[in-house]
Amino acid sequence: MMPYVGLTKRNSMETTKLSSKGQVVLPRAVRAGRKLKPGVIFSVEVVPEGILLRPLKPFVPTTIEQAFGCLRYSGKSKTVEEMHSAVLAEARRHR
């Protein structure tokens, strides 16, 4: 099991309490050691040893052009109806 970063060996045990709303406060030393900021989203996993919290890495902000730049299309623009029909046709083809 990985030790907490930022905690001294003498003070490596931190405790916290579950609130009536199911909330847990991470001790300041743990937050500081891991450089966790307010708003960080965690994945929650039940493991044999207990509960594992992993901070999720946010996506790097991108523009529409960066995200869809690989989807080049040089033909005539499609209408919403044409796109809807194409999606339905493809869904039917996969059934």
Side-chain angles (χ1 to χ4, degrees):
M1 194 158 156
M2 195 159 121
Y4 289 114
V5 174
L7 298 178
T8 63
K9 213 173 202 177
R10 197 179 72 211
N11 188 19
S12 62
M13 174 68 88
E14 293 281 343
T15 62
T16 191
K17 187 163 124 182
L18 184 68
S19 78
S20 62
K21 293 182 179 182
Q23 299 168 329
V24 174
V25 175
L26 296 177
R28 182 178 296 174
V30 174
R31 293 191 317 264
R34 292 289 178 170
K35 298 180 181 164
L36 297 171
K37 303 288 183 202
V40 170
I41 298 175
F42 293 89
S43 67
V44 180
E45 185 179 344
V46 177
V47 294
E49 297 82 17
I51 299 168
L52 176 63
L53 298 176
R54 288 190 184 143
L56 297 177
K57 296 187 186 266
F59 290 107
V60 177
T62 59
T63 64
I64 294 285
E65 291 76 23
Q66 291 169 322
F68 297 109
C70 63
L71 303 175
R72 304 268 186 248
Y73 179 73
S74 58
K76 181 183 167 216
S77 297
K78 302 289 184 187
T79 66
V80 173
E81 291 79 19
E82 289 171 322
M83 289 186 278
H84 183 69
S85 295
V87 169
L88 284 176
E90 190 64 17
R92 285 186 186 118
R93 191 176 73 81
H94 283 282
R95 283 190 172 190

